[in-house]
Amino acid sequence: MTMKISDEFLVKADEKAFDLGHRKTINHNIGKYNVAVERGVSRFENLENSKKKAHVIKWRVMENLDKFLPEFETNFQRRGGKVIWANDVEEAQREILNIIRKSGGKTVIKSKSMTTEEIHLNDFLEKNNIESLESDLGEYIVQLLGQAPYHIVTPAMHLSKEEIAKLFHDKFGTPLDATPQQLTQKARELLREKYLRADIGISGGNFLIADTGSIALTENEGNARLCTTFPKIHIAIVGIEKVVPSMADLDLFWPLLSSHGTGQNLTVYNTILSGPRQAHETDGPEEMYVVLLDNGRTNLLAQKEQRQALYCIRCGACLNACPVYKNIGGHTYNTTYSGPIGSIITPHLQGMKEFKHLSNASSLCGKCTEVCPVKIDVHKMLLLNRRDAVADNQNTKVEEIGWNAFTTTMQKRSRMDMLGGKMKNFFLKFFFKKTWGKYRSMPEVAPKSFAKLYEEKKKANKNP
């Protein structure tokens, strides 16, 4: 019998929450991130104002997406690029495979991209006998391990340098005590010739620039530039929500993304690509395609109260701030997008019925909302998802009966006092010992409620 996704989540969360080695690695890595980000955001003259401005720009885009996307398409095609609209995973996979087969390609080199993870591109290409290799060091490491990225910015955040050294020792024979610098050098040696040999380069896109028809890529290793320059064909897979109106908007969004993502003023490499190589240019691909991916985004766009989740610029700040994420880890979510932002968008991208449990995997402390660089009201969105799950009757019958009984009882004091403390303690132990009481001491209800004691005292004072 196959375990439900929500039950699998609880099992994995249970395991990870008590994995002290995992907790030590994550706390160390997120601790370094926190120090860097605090330094990075302090350089803004008025951070709050910058965040508000970014929020308003993204609001304008989402309210006029039907105008900005065709504007991007027109300007991109004007320079020889080709745009493909993909409604879902299967359509995106099929279109990409058609491009590769049409060119006779056999090898793909990829830069880091969450949209390619979303459409399971590596597995799909492998099944179709096409070699697809990750070139981002973190992505390359998790690909060697056969794992999905752990974090939307730092794919191998869950691994210590000792674990990575052992992986490279097992795969490539490097010394067990190799330093991070030596491991990086080894990865460079392995990957360099792959750029020259690859038939197709595939990337994501951090921003789509409507007024110039360009995609903007942000990275720290330079591998995206190599992926998009050496191969004869470049395919960029980008979510439809990534549009910004103008090139000038990067002046705001690039520093917000880098400071909240890694604590830098700007990431090391920021690239703007506006189509295939032109006649007067010396490098670049002969053909360039942009696959505009919907895959449920228009479902979220249709939700007027929750569509602001599409403002996300994938900086990862909410993941690093979230106490739940820090305890259960990125793989537990079993989704492309983990943490608070993933918990908002996944039920709309992949189905409320299967993924509504993610919106409950939150303490609602509000830290995610506080750190968001585009001021998404994250914890409110989680509550709205919970509301929608109830309104759509997505909860189980047991949940419905339980909450109805609880609501009916709690609305009237006399109903609450129908049962004494002894019976209430019995029900607590009988119904909640395995769930709530697994790692906690169950509360002890007093024999009589305060209201009962108060009434008895009043009667005693009237009849001394």
Side-chain angles (χ1 to χ4, degrees):
M1 186 177 166
T2 309
M3 192 185 292
K4 278 170 63 181
I5 293 171
S6 55
D7 292 337
E8 193 179 331
F9 173 83
L10 291 173
V11 171
K12 285 184 180 177
D14 206 25
E15 289 170 4
K16 276 297 171 198
F18 292 90
D19 183 341
L20 296 181
H22 168 263
R23 188 178 295 189
K24 183 182 175 186
T25 303
I26 294 310
N27 286 344
H28 172 74
N29 288 335
I30 289 182
K32 285 165 67 178
Y33 156 90
N34 287 338
V35 171
V37 167
E38 195 175 333
R39 187 172 59 243
V41 297
S42 69
R43 297 190 181 106
F44 280 83
E45 189 173 329
N46 189 331
L47 178 61
E48 192 62 20
N49 196 48
S50 296
K51 288 162 77 166
K52 281 179 184 172
K53 186 179 176 185
H55 182 93
V56 170
I57 292 170
K58 292 299 275 184
W59 168 83
R60 183 180 153 223
V61 166
M62 291 310 140
E63 299 301 312
N64 298 280
L65 202 56
D66 57 331
K67 296 180 181 66
F68 284 115
L69 284 172
E71 184 185 349
F72 165 80
E73 180 181 34
T74 300
N75 290 326
F76 182 69
Q77 287 178 335
R78 193 174 286 137
R79 290 176 59 87
K82 293 168 187 169
V83 174
I84 295 165
W85 299 74
N87 289 310
D88 52 33
V89 170
E90 291 73 25
E91 203 170 309
Q93 289 176 341
R94 188 171 65 249
E95 293 290 349
I96 291 163
L97 185 62
N98 285 345
I99 295 167
I100 295 170
R101 282 188 170 157
K102 189 178 163 189
S103 69
K106 286 289 176 189
T107 55
V108 166
I109 189 85
K110 274 182 75 267
S111 68
K112 185 179 177 307
S113 161
M114 293 310 292
T115 44
T116 59
E117 295 294 335
E118 190 181 333
I119 65 172
H120 316 294
L121 188 61
N122 285 342
D123 291 340
F124 173 75
L125 293 178
E126 190 181 326
K127 284 174 189 167
N128 286 277
N129 302 313
I130 294 162
E131 180 194 336
S132 180
L133 187 70
E134 297 287 351
S135 62
D136 173 87
L137 182 54
E139 289 275 4
Y140 182 56
I141 288 164
V142 294
Q143 186 181 32
L144 289 173
L145 286 167
Q147 296 179 359
Y150 179 92
H151 186 285
I152 62 176
V153 173
T154 320
M157 182 187 265
H158 59 304
L159 300 170
S160 66
K161 61 179 185 288
E162 290 79 16
E163 288 171 318
I164 296 167
K166 185 178 185 311
L167 170 69
F168 273 54
H169 171 75
D170 294 343
K171 295 279 185 184
F172 311 118
T174 53
L176 269 172
D177 59 352
T179 64
Q181 289 80 6
Q182 289 169 327
L183 295 171
T184 303
Q185 186 57 43
K186 182 64 181 176
R188 279 195 188 120
E189 290 169 17
L190 294 162
L191 290 168
R192 283 281 161 162
E193 57 100 14
K194 302 284 187 183
Y195 295 113
L196 299 168
R197 198 167 58 84
D199 303 309
I200 313 285
I202 293 181
S203 75
N206 295 91
F207 302 102
L208 292 166
I209 307 164
D211 70 346
T212 60
S214 311
I215 68 163
L217 292 171
T218 295
E219 52 161 337
N220 272 317
E221 297 174 20
N223 58 299
R225 283 191 177 178
L226 295 169
C227 288
T228 58
T229 305
F230 280 115
K232 289 184 178 179
I233 295 173
H234 170 209
I235 306 169
I237 302 109
V238 191
I240 57 173
E241 81 282 12
K242 291 297 187 74
V243 187
V244 293
S246 165
M247 181 83 74
D249 295 316
L250 296 179
D251 182 49
L252 173 66
F253 283 103
W254 267 348
L256 279 175
L257 176 59
S258 55
S259 61
H260 286 78
T262 54
Q264 295 163 281
N265 288 351
L266 275 179
T267 44
V268 180
Y269 299 95
N270 290 286
T271 310
I272 295 168
L273 301 166
S274 303
R277 184 173 71 238
Q278 303 298 300
H280 62 279
E281 292 174 337
T282 55
D283 58 24
E286 292 173 12
E287 296 176 48
M288 183 175 171
Y289 299 83
V290 170
V291 178
L292 293 174
L293 183 67
D294 182 345
N295 197 32
R297 285 162 174 79
T298 47
N299 296 338
L300 186 49
L301 188 66
Q303 307 295 319
K304 193 164 186 181
E305 290 178 289
Q306 285 123 293
R307 70 172 60 141
Q308 63 172 279
L310 292 169
Y311 300 1
C312 176
I313 58 172
R314 305 287 189 264
C315 68
C318 62
L319 281 68
N320 297 318
C322 180
V324 175
Y325 180 90
K326 284 189 274 193
N327 276 286
I328 67 171
H331 287 151
T332 302
Y333 290 81
N334 197 24
T335 61
T336 304
Y337 306 104
S338 54
I341 191 64
S343 297
I344 300 171
I345 66 176
T346 303
H348 297 278
L349 300 189
Q350 293 185 251
M352 187 67 78
K353 188 175 181 181
E354 292 80 8
F355 289 96
K356 70 182 177 65
H357 63 279
L358 294 182
S359 298
N360 292 293
S362 166
S363 64
L364 297 177
C365 67
K367 189 69 178 172
C368 46
T369 302
E370 183 187 318
V371 299
C372 179
V374 290
K375 292 186 78 67
I376 298 170
D377 203 345
V378 181
H379 66 291
K380 184 185 176 185
M381 302 297 107
L382 294 168
L383 285 171
L384 291 172
N385 275 3
R386 295 182 192 187
R387 179 203 65 186
D388 290 352
V390 174
D392 294 345
N393 297 312
Q394 298 289 358
N395 290 338
T396 62
K397 258 304 180 232
V398 174
E399 261 184 288
E400 277 185 39
I401 293 166
W403 282 115
N404 286 335
F406 175 81
T407 306
T408 305
T409 306
M410 293 296 286
Q411 281 174 340
K412 207 165 183 184
R413 182 79 243 180
S414 59
R415 290 182 198 139
M416 289 175 67
D417 286 340
M418 279 173 70
L419 300 176
K422 196 171 181 181
M423 191 57 75
K424 287 175 183 172
N425 284 323
F426 169 77
F427 277 116
L428 279 171
K429 284 174 186 171
F430 185 78
F431 287 110
F432 299 105
K433 184 68 180 170
K434 284 185 180 176
T435 51
W436 177 255
K438 189 173 180 183
Y439 298 114
R440 305 172 181 87
S441 298
M442 295 297 289
E444 278 289 327
V445 180
K448 292 180 182 178
S449 70
F450 174 80
K452 281 235 175 199
L453 291 170
Y454 186 73
E455 284 296 320
E456 286 174 9
K457 187 155 187 180
K458 266 172 64 178
K459 282 180 186 174
N461 287 339
K462 280 182 184 176
N463 307 301

